[in-house]
Amino acid sequence: MNAPADLARLHPAVAPRPVPESLLAALRERFGAQCSTAMAVREQHGRDESPFDVPPPAAVVFAESTRDVADAVKLASDADVPVIPFGVGSSLEGHLLAVQGGISIDLSRMNQVLSVNAEDLTVTVQPGVTRRQLNEELRSSGLFFPIDPGADASIGGMTATRASGTNAVRYGTMRENVLALEVVTASGETIRTGTRARKSSAGYDLTRLIVGSEGTLGIATEITLRIYPLPEAVSAAICSFPSIEAAVHTTIQVIQLGVPIARVELIDVNSVRMVNVHSKLSLREQPMLLMEFHGSPAGVQEQAETVQAIASEMGGNDFEWATTPEERTRLWTARHNAYFAAVQSRPGCRAVTTDTCVPISRLADCLLASVDEVDASGIPYFLVGHVGDGNFHFGYLIDPHDPDERLRAEQLSHNLVSRAIAMGGTCTGEHGIGLHKMGFLIDEAGEGAVAMMRTLKKALDPKNILNPGKIFSL
């Protein structure tokens, strides 16, 4: 395996490139108050939810238009200085850290929904729009955008990391739901990829190339998405199980029977306990599935009855139904707060998080072996998963001042990802590569494929200024 598991390799390579005063002066002249070199602002833009600590960028530019992004990139390109796009800072793998210095381009002010084409079921947005904001604006149209990674991430960040989430088992990921992009390239040129048409055979699929490129090939400034009619009926349910194994085998049977379930989330007993404290709930402290069904009233009832019968055979109990929006929100808010509940359960801790995705037939094998290993380690942890598509997440809660805990957590993460790859899975289902999984990309894709990725990077970004040091090293 190429991914490191020794403590000496747990810190990313930091090699700041010089940022000339002439560039900072040019940025101040072009952007005025939209450019900041204040330490507090820089530190905010130099930290994400990963366990890494890296010096902050030299400056932050608050872009308000595509022209702003293009001008900032052009100035940086002329000076051979890195640029790092920033959304809301919720990434988990170090994507936005300035490992080679440079400037951060904050896209949060580019937060307009530009057009809603209800007849075509598409919407075009700026990258700073968040998923909750988008769905609030779509609600009156009877439409919604289903990709839900948990955090209120920006659409630009979700595009850059090829995000997934709780609804992916039915509606797919960002890969399937981004139709077209406006992109600022490494030279500061603005290009468009794709159209609002549902399919195309015209040339290379540049849209899919940019989606998931983690800001290393271009910065998306407009994004056209698929949207969907709000379902006629929605019902949510929770069900407790005597073991994780029973919950996982229930999920596998539901998927293999072709039940069109919209969401199926696994929460382990640790997560349930943490959520109960954080959200003041009284959920049964056992492994739990959270499920949601979309469709016609009759279809939703049929799906729910089928799933309940399968769950009962596996020892599932305490089915709790939620049919009103308020009840469903209560259940899903608890799930979305699982990360924050976990971090608050051990004051002062940092979370070393990892995700993998395996073929559904290997889900139980991978997950149960990983649970056994972390239970034996003594490291506090939480487990949640979008298990309907074989994707799950571990978070190891460590004392950031204890190198031994960090090393043990990284070893657990290393073993988990190695196990997933050996079972025909991937090193990351939705978090992305960032800094944390660069070695695993080689293990999964092979040296030849990664060499091709490097060739693409060098061709599209010859000065290596777009979020350098991420995905792979050059």
Side-chain angles (χ1 to χ4, degrees):
M1 283 289 175
N2 291 284
D6 59 290
L7 189 60
R9 299 284 303 278
L10 297 182
H11 303 285
V14 177
R17 291 152 65 174
V19 179
E21 181 58 39
S22 59
L23 172 61
L24 298 178
L27 291 171
R28 293 189 194 100
E29 180 180 357
R30 165 62 178 82
F31 292 102
Q34 290 174 241
C35 177
S36 176
T37 55
M39 180 56 74
V41 176
R42 291 164 52 204
E43 287 179 342
Q44 177 193 359
H45 290 75
R47 173 77 182 270
D48 61 8
E49 296 295 330
S50 75
F52 300 119
D53 292 311
V54 170
V60 178
V61 172
F62 292 88
E64 297 179 356
S65 66
T66 298
R67 175 55 65 87
D68 283 352
V69 176
D71 287 352
V73 171
K74 181 66 166 64
L75 289 169
S77 176
D78 290 344
D80 289 348
V81 168
V83 292
I84 306 152
F86 184 95
V88 297
S90 60
S91 64
L92 295 163
E93 302 290 359
H95 297 100
L96 56 84
L97 302 185
V99 291
Q100 295 188 23
I103 63 172
S104 174
I105 301 181
D106 187 314
L107 303 166
S108 61
R109 297 183 185 179
M110 296 179 64
N111 60 357
Q112 301 299 307
V113 176
L114 300 174
S115 64
V116 178
N117 298 281
E119 297 87 352
D120 295 324
L121 297 177
T122 65
V123 62
T124 299
V125 303
Q126 291 182 311
V129 172
T130 66
R131 65 172 186 85
R132 288 178 185 165
Q133 175 194 349
L134 176 57
N135 277 320
E136 283 298 318
E137 299 207 25
L138 290 174
R139 192 180 306 278
S140 62
S141 303
L143 302 167
F144 81 119
F145 180 63
I147 309 304
D148 174 12
D152 191 21
S154 68
I155 300 298
M158 292 166 63
T159 299
T161 56
R162 201 187 294 124
S164 177
T166 62
N167 280 314
V169 65
R170 177 157 182 170
Y171 297 98
T173 71
M174 291 298 284
R175 180 181 64 183
E176 292 80 29
N177 286 284
V178 175
L179 291 172
L181 297 168
E182 179 183 77
V183 179
V184 173
T185 69
S187 64
E189 180 186 4
T190 302
I191 66 169
R192 290 187 175 273
T193 74
T195 69
R196 290 197 298 112
R198 287 302 177 109
K199 63 180 182 179
S200 172
S201 296
Y204 296 157
D205 192 343
L206 298 181
T207 302
R208 298 295 173 275
L209 182 62
I210 298 298
V211 174
S213 64
E214 302 182 18
T216 64
L217 299 180
I219 301 175
T221 53
E222 287 186 14
I223 304 153
T224 299
L225 303 163
R226 296 174 186 260
I227 51 179
Y228 298 80
L230 284 167
E232 182 183 359
V234 178
S235 180
I238 59 174
C239 182
S240 298
F241 290 85
S243 66
I244 287 179
E245 184 175 15
V248 171
H249 281 296
T250 296
T251 302
I252 292 171
Q253 285 201 28
V254 167
I255 301 305
Q256 291 180 340
L257 282 175
V259 179
I261 194 168
R263 287 170 158 173
V264 54
E265 291 284 300
L266 171 67
I267 305 179
D268 79 322
V269 65
N270 296 330
S271 302
V272 173
R273 189 177 299 118
M274 294 165 183
V275 163
N276 275 342
V277 173
H278 179 270
S279 300
K280 296 179 173 57
L281 298 176
S282 56
L283 300 171
R284 179 188 285 240
E285 293 187 354
Q286 289 185 324
M288 176 181 296
L289 291 180
L290 281 77
M291 297 163 281
E292 193 166 276
F293 309 93
H294 295 178
S296 67
V300 163
Q301 182 176 348
E302 181 181 0
Q303 295 170 39
E305 289 174 351
T306 300
V307 172
Q308 187 167 3
I310 295 170
S312 296
E313 291 178 3
M314 295 292 174
N317 53 58
D318 280 3
F319 256 81
E320 179 183 338
W321 296 99
T323 55
T324 69
E326 294 78 15
E327 291 172 329
R328 293 198 306 274
T329 297
R330 177 178 67 86
L331 292 179
W332 287 107
T333 298
R335 160 61 182 91
H336 290 328
N337 286 339
Y339 176 84
F340 305 105
V343 171
Q344 291 179 20
S345 74
R346 189 181 186 189
C349 76
R350 294 282 288 271
V352 176
T353 60
T354 193
D355 85 304
T356 61
C357 188
V358 295
I360 192 72
S361 62
R362 301 307 307 272
L363 177 61
D365 298 334
C366 188
L367 210 163
L368 295 173
S370 302
V371 167
D372 287 344
E373 186 175 47
V374 67
D375 280 340
S377 76
I379 294 285
Y381 73 97
F382 65 97
L383 163 64
V384 296
H386 319 312
V387 288
D389 54 10
N391 185 202
F392 59 92
H393 312 250
F394 272 89
Y396 310 107
L397 305 175
I398 64 164
D399 178 349
H401 305 295
D402 186 337
D404 178 66
E405 282 199 9
R406 174 74 190 279
L407 181 58
R408 282 191 288 153
E410 291 289 352
Q411 186 65 59
L412 289 167
S413 176
H414 182 276
N415 294 348
L416 165 60
V417 177
S418 300
R419 186 177 297 120
I421 292 173
M423 292 181 176
T426 176
C427 63
T428 173
E430 59 182 1
H431 289 180
I433 297 297
L435 297 171
H436 215 180
K437 293 186 173 176
M438 293 168 66
F440 279 123
L441 180 64
I442 298 173
D443 296 328
E444 178 179 328
E447 291 281 2
V450 174
M452 182 177 289
M453 295 181 200
R454 289 193 179 101
T455 299
L456 285 168
K457 169 69 170 173
K458 290 175 182 177
L460 297 179
D461 181 14
K463 295 183 178 182
N464 192 27
I465 67 165
L466 291 177
N467 207 12
K470 315 298 165 55
I471 303 182
F472 45 70
S473 57
L474 289 179

